[in-house]
């Protein structure tokens, strides 16, 4: 038997695989509504954000359907050539973990950008803000959002930091992050807080205030994290679940 590489499962995928196993064993039948985030979190001993990521991974794999305001329901098992598929594909890093990494990296980048930026860098950052202000579609808004963070990294004059931000943003467009962003209303056509956050960060960078630039970036990314945490994807599946209780 040939030696095979060991692939460590992400925590959300471990949870998703366990639930897929319960579906496979008949614990949850087709059409059944799964327990709420709160209940699954307590029973599995993991955080509610991890459960949320697992539910979206299951949906992407075609095993469940998230019905806004109603809950999460088991679908008929997908099949290939008549063979039922009940495994869960790795959908990349979890959105909460990804945003946590961005908080660490991009707050430092904001401070360095305030110290190293040139007039050309400021013009690029300001152009991205103008593009977001004028955006008429979700895609245009997201492109402008990405351009802002790329321009901030470029303003550090450190190519490694620029590549790191580019990599983090590639993960921001993964199916898992995309779906979670839409379900939690993080990714509408124009998220209300984003433009104002970017303007505050730009102001601090333009003034060369590294401490304020770092603080403003941290506040911005905490807003992103709060949106992902507080807006439940299974609202309506129990009486206690309300916006703001997904700590």
């Amino acid at each position: 038997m040939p030696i095979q590489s060991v692939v460590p499962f992400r925590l959300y995928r471990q949870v998703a695989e366990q639930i897929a196993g319960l579906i496979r064993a008949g614990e949850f039948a087709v059409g059944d509504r799964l327990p709420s985030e709160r209940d699954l979190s307590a029973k599995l001993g993991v955080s509610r954000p991890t459960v949320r990521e697992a539910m979206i991974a299951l949906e992407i794999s075609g095993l469940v359907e998230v019905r806004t305001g109603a809950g999460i329901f088991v679908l008929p098992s997908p099949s290939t050539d008549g063979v039922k598929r009940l495994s869960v594909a790795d959908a990349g890093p979890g959105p909460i973990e990804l945003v946590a990494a961005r908080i660490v990296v991009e707050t430092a980048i904001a401070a360095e950008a305030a110290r190293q930026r040139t007039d050309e860098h400021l013009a690029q950052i300001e152009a991205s803000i103008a593009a977001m202000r004028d955006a008429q579609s979700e895609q245009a808004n997201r492109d402008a959002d990405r351009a802002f963070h790329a321009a901030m990294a470029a303003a550090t004059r450190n190519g490694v930091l620029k590549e790191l931000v580019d990599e983090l943003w590639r993960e921001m467009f993964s199916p898992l992050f995309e779906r979670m962003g839409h379900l939690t209303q993080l990714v509408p056509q124009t998220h209300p807080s984003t433009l104002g956050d970017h303007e505050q960060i730009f102001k601090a960078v333009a003034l060369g205030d590294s401490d304020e630039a770092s603080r403003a970036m941290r506040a911005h990314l905490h807003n992103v994290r709060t949106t992902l945490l507080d807006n439940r994807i299974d609202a309506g599946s129990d009486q206690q679940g309300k916006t703001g209780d997904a700590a």
Side-chain angles (χ1 to χ4, degrees), residues 117-156:
R117 86 286 185 276
T118 64
D119 288 345
E120 182 180 352
H121 292 133
L122 292 176
Q124 292 172 347
I125 297 169
E126 194 167 25
S128 73
I129 293 173
M132 177 172 284
R133 190 179 296 115
D134 296 338
Q136 298 299 311
S137 68
E138 178 183 306
Q139 188 59 54
N141 182 67
R142 297 200 70 194
D143 288 345
D145 193 0
R146 185 174 190 170
F148 172 84
H149 290 278
M152 286 288 296
T156 67

Side-chain angles (χ1 to χ4, degrees), residues 6-243:
V6 176
V7 180
F9 275 16
R10 303 177 195 277
L11 183 56
Y12 79 78
R13 191 178 170 199
Q14 294 180 46
V15 172
E17 288 285 1
Q18 184 172 162
I19 294 172
L22 293 172
I23 294 173
R24 183 166 50 245
E27 293 293 328
F28 299 117
V30 173
D32 281 356
R33 185 173 63 188
L34 294 180
S36 69
E37 285 180 5
R38 182 192 301 276
D39 290 343
L40 286 172
S41 173
K43 291 176 181 177
L44 294 168
V46 298
S47 70
R48 292 179 64 179
T50 297
V51 171
R52 183 173 303 182
E53 291 168 347
M55 293 300 101
I56 296 172
L58 286 166
E59 184 183 51
I60 291 171
S61 298
L63 302 179
V64 303
E65 178 185 14
V66 178
R67 301 178 191 169
T68 304
I72 301 169
F73 296 82
V74 178
L75 294 175
S77 301
S79 63
T80 303
D81 298 329
V83 179
K84 290 185 176 181
R85 179 173 58 80
L86 278 169
S87 60
V88 181
D90 189 338
I96 305 302
E97 183 179 41
L98 180 57
V99 173
R102 289 187 61 200
I103 291 172
V104 172
V105 172
E106 294 195 58
T107 54
I109 282 174
E112 187 67 8
R115 289 187 286 264
Q116 300 293 338
R117 86 286 185 276
T118 64
D119 288 345
E120 182 180 352
H121 292 133
L122 292 176
Q124 292 172 347
I125 297 169
E126 194 167 25
S128 73
I129 293 173
M132 177 172 284
R133 190 179 296 115
D134 296 338
Q136 298 299 311
S137 68
E138 178 183 306
Q139 188 59 54
N141 182 67
R142 297 200 70 194
D143 288 345
D145 193 0
R146 185 174 190 170
F148 172 84
H149 290 278
M152 286 288 296
T156 67
R157 294 193 265 186
N158 184 314
V160 175
L161 290 175
K162 176 65 165 61
E163 290 177 6
L164 184 55
V165 168
D166 286 343
E167 177 59 28
L168 288 170
W169 269 84
R170 278 191 287 274
E171 297 292 355
M172 290 278 288
F173 286 85
S174 70
L176 185 64
F177 201 107
E178 286 274 311
R179 184 59 176 149
M180 190 167 181
H182 281 87
L183 287 170
T184 60
Q185 297 299 303
L186 176 67
V187 192
Q189 179 169 316
T190 304
H191 194 266
S193 67
T194 302
L195 181 58
D197 288 352
H198 285 193
E199 290 171 339
Q200 289 299 312
I201 296 165
F202 172 73
K203 181 179 179 180
V205 171
L207 291 172
D209 188 337
S210 59
D211 289 340
E212 178 59 21
S214 179
R215 187 209 64 77
M217 179 65 80
R218 183 177 297 276
H220 168 52
L221 294 175
H222 272 289
N223 285 340
V224 173
R225 184 176 183 273
T226 297
T227 300
L228 291 173
L229 289 174
D230 283 1
N231 296 335
R232 287 185 49 191
I233 67 170
D234 66 343
S237 62
D238 63 33
Q239 296 299 314
Q240 295 178 333
K242 297 179 181 179
T243 298

